[in-house]
Structure formats: structure tokens, C-alpha cells
Amino acid sequence: MSEHEQPQTDTPWWRRAVVYQIYPRSFADGNGDGTGDIAGIRSRLSHLQDLGVDAVWFNPWYLSPLADGGYDVTDYRRIDPRFGTIEEATALIAEAHEHGIKVIVDIVPNHTSDQHAWFVEAVNAEPGDPVRDRYHILPGRGDDGSEPPNNWMSVFGGPAWHRLDDGEWYLHLFAPEQPDVNWRNPEVADEYDAVLRFWLDRGVDGFRVDVASSLTKDMTYPDIETDVQAVMSSNRVPNHPHWDRDDVHPIIRRWRALLDSYDGERMMVAEAWVSPETYPLYLRPDEYHQVFNFDLLLAGWDRDEMASIITDSVDRAAAVGSTPTWVLSNHDVMRETTRYGLPNGTNWRTWSVEGPFDSLDPELGLRRARAAALLILSLPGSAYVYQGEELGLPEVWDLPEEVLDDPVWERSEHRQRGRDGCRVPIPWSMDGPSFGFSEVAGWLPQPAEFAGYAVEAQTGVSSSTLELYRRTLAARREYGTDDEQITMLELGDEVLAYCRGNGLRCIVNFASTALELPEYSKMIVASNSEQDDSVLEPDCAVWVI
Ligand code: TEU
């Protein structure tokens, strides 16, 4: 069997896929305007094949004013001209398949853009007109209606209501340019069905569903005590007016039936920041195939915390017949090479404003990120790798304020710099105006140090993070197993180690001193570029069998 050949298996692809996340705006620019696009992606498919990923997930590429990086969709059936055309998207899907790579697209069903034809129609209609019922448009409170209908807050900061010129208010759980649609209106469900069919007919293998747990709202619009951010990261609030409500599940079942009516193994993965208690409900056999598990992404570099997340995730998924998902970073969070270089407990959302900046140790962060990659890539289930993780790219946390584009910067009143630092264009070559990303400077500036992280700089360099990822993904294919369990191994309080059914062991050293490795017959891959046969250095990982 060649190193890139997947062993024959009846297991559906998504149960063990490595899914590579592409943020199209920042991956590769084919038309020389400084913004990434589909032409750029098509020219770089060989990078994904060489890396050895099983699937790609594309962040939204639909027609959009990009008020929230494309999560504000004007038309779900058109590609934004900055990214390309529908013909190019269809060709890309087919070409990915020719490279043996499945395709997942992003669906944004909680809100549209304020430029969407439905919202434009609603705004132009009179209060009470049925076309307003596709959104949550309400009179305000107070004698003259000048108070918002309730106290709900936007995830991005500030109130979740915006007033129209005629005095009514509309709900936006995210930016004001992202009005929430009303899922009680049957037209809404029909429209999203049609959108799913549109992309399934173009050959996509799956959907990543944006803010999947917030679609339905309490239509009496009561005030709430808890704020949204707290709800997203903590325990379930029963009957919350707009988060993780029971009435979201019939929508999911409807989509699942639609997917199941297509041939092939079409899947959907939920972006749902929900509690461990309700997480399994989303994974019932007639609901989502997978839910992103963000626990590791939120955890520090902590042996006990990571060990319990891993065992809980494996058990929880197994209990409902699904598989765990592993996510170290994505387009919404600080890149893990930087996160792991900060002391545990640092609030990385505010750190880049507040500091202390000398608390960052970038070398330590990269060492840990490489070890974490070995950790998640040997676990059962599927792993989601965000573009640039394979290069060990750091967060560009000190972007000049004048280039910041994420609405979080303004809406948090400059308490958070937002998410641009993980969305800086990818460096492909060691020189040029944007290190091979484009013929011109990229839409966000890249720091000079990106030259050293370029694909060109790392290719063929055995100690590089890129070659480590390539070796590790090749080994994952070779030593992959369909058993979806792990056995934790006891190697001391500061070592995280487990064994897969085929005898593959992953060992991670969290101690500050080197670890004497237990006996093994073969070392398969090591996160340290200078791995010794018998000892494992701090913050490093190995796979042995
Ligand atoms: O994100 C959902 C979400 O609520 C968070 O990840 C949020 O972006 C973050 O906490 C803000 O600091 C999804 C998308 O992944 C994100 O990019 C979009 O902005 C958001 O939905 C709205 O569509």
C-alpha cells in the first residue's frame, strides 16, 4: 500500500476524515486583486493533496458585502465576484473530487445579509406587511417605541436590536448587517431546503452549519438575565429565549432527511456552542452527523484538562453512535501556536489589547502546537485543520488598528481586537509582495516573519512543521484503524498517553523534565525535530507502536 492510500473500509468517510478548513479570502489569490479566490484555491489543490487531507471545508464564498467576512450572505446561490463565479465553484468541487478530496460548504441559516432581497423587501414594506415576518421585526418598548423590544445582546457586543427608519426594530444576534431570520415562517424553511439542494446538486459532500443552535427564538421575546457569551461557553440555560432551544431539532431532522434522500455519504456538521448535556441531542441518528467539539480549543496546555476532554468526547460520541471531532483552531479564535505560548488562563480574546505582551513565548507555543497536532491526529473521529496550522503560523495579534476589518473590534469598543489576526493571507513563497499569496499586497498585511513560514520555505525541510504534518497525515492513513476507542495509559501525572486498538500509542510530555520512553518497537512520528530514541522532551509528543 502506498503511503497515501487509505485502507479499504466501509466506514463513512466523515467518521475519520481530516478536514482542511479554507478561508477563501486568505488562502490564495488567482486574479491579482489582493483577495483570495476560487481561482487561487484551484491552483493550490496539489498542496492539499500533498498534505494528505481527506476533505476541505470552505468558509462562505457567497455574494456578500463582507460585513462579517461573508457570514452576511446576500445570495446563497451566487458566488461573490471577488471570489469567482458559480461555474468556477462547480469546477473546483469536481477537481477536488478528482484529487480524492471531499467538499464541505458553509451554510448560514441564522441570518442573512441586510442586502439580501428578503430584507430589502422587508425594510421597504409597511409595518405589519407579511414580508416582514421572514425576520424578527417588532415595535419597540416605551411610549414612543424608542427602546429596543427586549434586552438581548449581540454576540459581537452591544444590543441585538437595530431600529429601522419607520421606528420598528429588527433582531441581529451578530452584526446589524446580519438580521436574524424567523424560522417560524414556513417560507424560511423552504428557502433553506432549496439552498441545500442547490449545493447538493453541484456535488458537495456536506455542510458546516453556522450557529446551528440559535435558529429558533421564543416568539414572546422575553428579557433574559444571562448574556450570550456566558451561554455559549457554559452550562445549559433551560428554555433560553434564543439559544439551544428544543424547537431547533425539528429543523435539523428535516435537513437530515433531505441529505439522506441524496446518493453518496452526504454529511452535516454543526457549529453549536452547546453544553455537554444537550450536545448528544444534536447527534441523534436522524440529526447531525457531527458537532464541532470546541473544548480543546478553549482549554489551556494542561494535562488533566486535556485528558478529561479527550475521554469525555470519545465516550460522549460513542454513546450516540457518532464520532468525536477535534478542533484546535479556526477562523474565529487565536491560532494555537500563539495561544499555547501564553500562560494558561490568559484570556486570548482580550490579551492582544491588554497584554502583558512579554508573557508570550512563541517558540514554546509552536513546540506545543506541534505536539497537539500529533495528539488530535491519532485520536478516533475526525480532525479539523485550519489553513496555516500545517505551517505552524502564529496569530498576527499586532495588526495595525487601521487595517482591522472584523466587526468585533468596533462592537467590543476596542476591548477585543477581533479575529483578523488568524485570517492573515497564507504565505506560499519566501518573497514577493505577499509571499506568493497574490501578485500584490494581500487584503491584510503579513509580517516579515511569514517568509520563514512559507510553504516554499518549509517544503523538503524535514524539521519543518509542514513536513511534520505531511508525515503525520501519511502515518494516520497507514496506521488508521476503524475502532473508535482509546485506552488511556498511566505514565505519570504529567504525561498524557493513550493506545488505539491496533497498538498505536501517542505519548505527550507535559512535564518540565524529559520523560524516559516506555519500550516500543517502532517510532512512527515525533513532534520534536530532534527526537531521541529513548527520551521525550517537555512539550513534545511521539507516536510509537
Ligand atoms: O461563529 C459563531 C460564534 O458565535 C463565535 O464563534 C463568534 O464568532 C466569536 O465568539 C466572536 O468573537 C460563526 C462564524 O464562525 C463566525 O465567523 C461568524 O462571525 C458568526 O457565526 C456569525 O455568522
Side-chain angles (χ1 to χ4, degrees):
M1 191 169 66
S2 87
E3 61 174 2
H4 287 305
E5 224 172 284
Q6 183 96 28
Q8 284 300 316
T9 169
D10 293 332
T11 305
W13 66 272
W14 51 267
R15 293 189 77 95
R16 53 188 284 179
V18 175
V19 184
Y20 185 88
Q21 179 190 350
I22 291 188
Y23 195 74
R25 198 177 183 185
S26 302
F27 186 67
D29 175 21
N31 69 355
D33 64 357
T35 293
D37 50 33
I38 295 176
I41 300 169
R42 290 172 74 186
S43 74
R44 298 290 184 183
L45 280 176
S46 59
H47 172 71
L48 303 178
Q49 194 173 30
D50 293 347
L51 188 57
V53 300
D54 305 297
V56 285
W57 146 35
F58 298 115
N59 284 108
W61 50 15
Y62 315 109
L63 188 68
S64 165
L66 304 185
D68 180 24
Y71 281 95
D72 46 322
V73 180
T74 302
D75 187 337
Y76 296 88
R77 296 176 184 80
R78 283 172 65 191
I79 300 290
D80 193 274
R82 282 165 284 197
F83 299 144
T85 62
I86 197 73
E87 289 73 27
E88 287 179 276
T90 312
L92 169 59
I93 295 165
E95 286 162 12
H97 288 160
E98 283 160 23
H99 283 79
I101 297 171
K102 305 275 188 195
V103 174
I104 296 173
V105 294
D106 215 312
I107 286 296
V108 190
N110 180 67
H111 41 263
T112 67
S113 162
D114 61 351
Q115 308 293 309
H116 190 284
W118 273 3
F119 194 71
V120 173
E121 195 181 0
V123 169
N124 290 331
E126 299 290 319
D129 189 303
V131 300
R132 287 203 163 186
D133 186 53
R134 295 165 179 151
Y135 294 89
H136 299 273
I137 304 184
L138 269 68
R141 288 199 290 206
D143 290 344
D144 55 356
S146 64
E147 306 278 319
N150 63 32
N151 70 352
W152 297 2
M153 299 290 288
S154 156
V155 174
F156 291 157
W161 297 92
H162 190 84
R163 199 169 194 195
L164 295 171
D165 287 345
D166 60 36
E168 291 211 319
W169 297 76
Y170 68 87
L171 175 69
H172 59 89
L173 287 183
F174 292 87
E177 295 88 349
Q178 294 166 296
D180 282 48
V181 295
N182 173 12
W183 273 90
R184 290 291 167 98
N185 184 324
E187 268 186 89
V188 168
D190 288 347
E191 169 61 8
Y192 281 95
D193 277 0
V195 168
L196 294 183
R197 286 186 190 284
F198 179 88
W199 287 101
L200 288 165
D201 290 342
R202 272 153 194 79
V204 302
D205 304 284
F207 299 100
R208 176 266 188 194
V209 180
D210 190 55
V211 277
S213 53
S214 71
L215 308 186
T216 53
K217 277 90 187 175
D218 181 334
M219 302 301 280
T220 66
Y221 304 99
D223 275 342
I224 39 179
E225 307 303 324
T226 6
D227 83 6
V228 173
Q229 298 290 357
V231 170
M232 283 171 66
S233 57
S234 68
N235 297 326
R236 173 153 215 244
V237 178
N239 302 318
H240 189 278
H242 65 68
W243 210 267
D244 192 15
R245 295 171 55 76
D246 291 340
D247 52 8
V248 80
H249 293 281
I251 301 171
I252 305 169
R253 288 197 277 271
R254 176 175 169 140
W255 289 341
R256 178 63 185 257
L258 194 158
L259 259 67
D260 286 349
S261 73
Y262 276 76
D263 61 355
E265 294 165 339
R266 319 280 181 133
M267 60 82 82
M268 52 181 187
V269 51
E271 190 229 15
W273 299 75
V274 294
S275 69
E277 197 188 317
T278 47
Y279 186 96
L281 300 180
Y282 289 79
L283 290 170
R284 285 176 285 196
D286 56 351
E287 299 204 16
Y288 282 103
H289 298 78
Q290 287 182 331
V291 177
F292 286 138
N293 181 337
F294 294 124
D295 294 348
L296 274 187
L297 167 156
L298 296 169
W301 182 257
D302 180 300
R303 187 260 178 211
D304 292 347
E305 189 180 8
M306 289 171 97
S308 74
I309 288 170
I310 288 169
T311 45
D312 286 356
S313 307
V314 171
D315 293 348
R316 218 192 291 160
V320 285
S322 182
T323 51
T325 56
W326 308 106
V327 187
L328 294 174
S329 77
N330 62 32
H331 65 294
D332 287 334
V333 299
M334 174 180 268
R335 285 191 176 275
E336 77 269 28
T337 41
T338 305
R339 184 162 58 84
Y340 288 143
L342 293 169
N344 281 348
T346 303
N347 179 345
W348 42 262
R349 289 191 196 274
T350 52
W351 172 81
S352 56
V353 173
E354 293 169 1
F357 305 124
D358 60 2
S359 64
L360 175 65
D361 181 343
E363 285 77 35
L364 178 66
L366 179 58
R367 205 156 57 242
R368 289 176 172 173
R370 290 168 59 119
L374 262 58
L375 181 70
I376 67 161
L377 291 169
S378 50
L379 286 166
S382 57
Y384 287 79
V385 176
Y386 176 48
Q387 66 179 37
E389 269 188 89
E390 82 281 22
L391 305 177
L393 269 194
E395 178 84 2
V396 187
W397 55 269
D398 55 356
L399 282 169
E401 291 176 8
E402 60 276 13
V403 305
L404 295 180
D405 182 72
D406 183 4
V408 167
W409 168 241
E410 290 302 337
R411 291 195 61 88
S412 71
E413 295 172 339
H414 300 185
R415 281 193 291 269
Q416 294 181 27
R417 293 177 75 82
R419 301 162 294 174
D420 294 310
C422 65
R423 301 173 178 179
V424 173
I426 295 297
W428 293 93
S429 48
M430 291 158 79
D431 46 29
S434 50
F435 304 116
F437 166 73
S438 172
E439 294 157 22
V440 298
W443 71 279
L444 283 174
Q446 301 150 301
E449 63 165 350
F450 264 34
Y453 291 93
V455 174
E456 180 189 38
Q458 299 197 38
T459 297
V461 179
S462 150
S463 60
S464 73
T465 304
L466 176 58
E467 293 298 350
L468 173 67
Y469 262 86
R470 286 178 176 155
R471 282 195 298 276
T472 306
L473 292 184
R476 179 182 164 101
R477 285 171 184 246
E478 196 175 340
Y479 294 91
T481 138
D482 278 346
D483 82 274
E484 291 175 346
Q485 288 303 311
I486 54 169
T487 308
M488 282 297 193
L489 304 174
E490 280 307 327
L491 293 178
D493 289 350
E494 295 182 296
V495 180
L496 201 172
Y498 51 79
C499 185
R500 296 294 305 274
N502 59 355
L504 178 79
R505 281 174 287 166
C506 177
I507 306 173
V508 191
N509 186 7
F510 285 79
S512 52
T513 52
L515 167 81
E516 187 91 20
L517 282 169
E519 260 185 58
Y520 62 88
S521 55
K522 185 178 178 196
M523 182 168 298
I524 298 162
V525 59
S527 70
N528 187 347
S529 51
E530 284 154 23
Q531 180 57 44
D532 184 278
D533 282 343
S534 56
V535 294
L536 183 60
E537 294 297 328
D539 305 301
C540 292
V542 285
W543 291 6
V544 294
I545 198 157

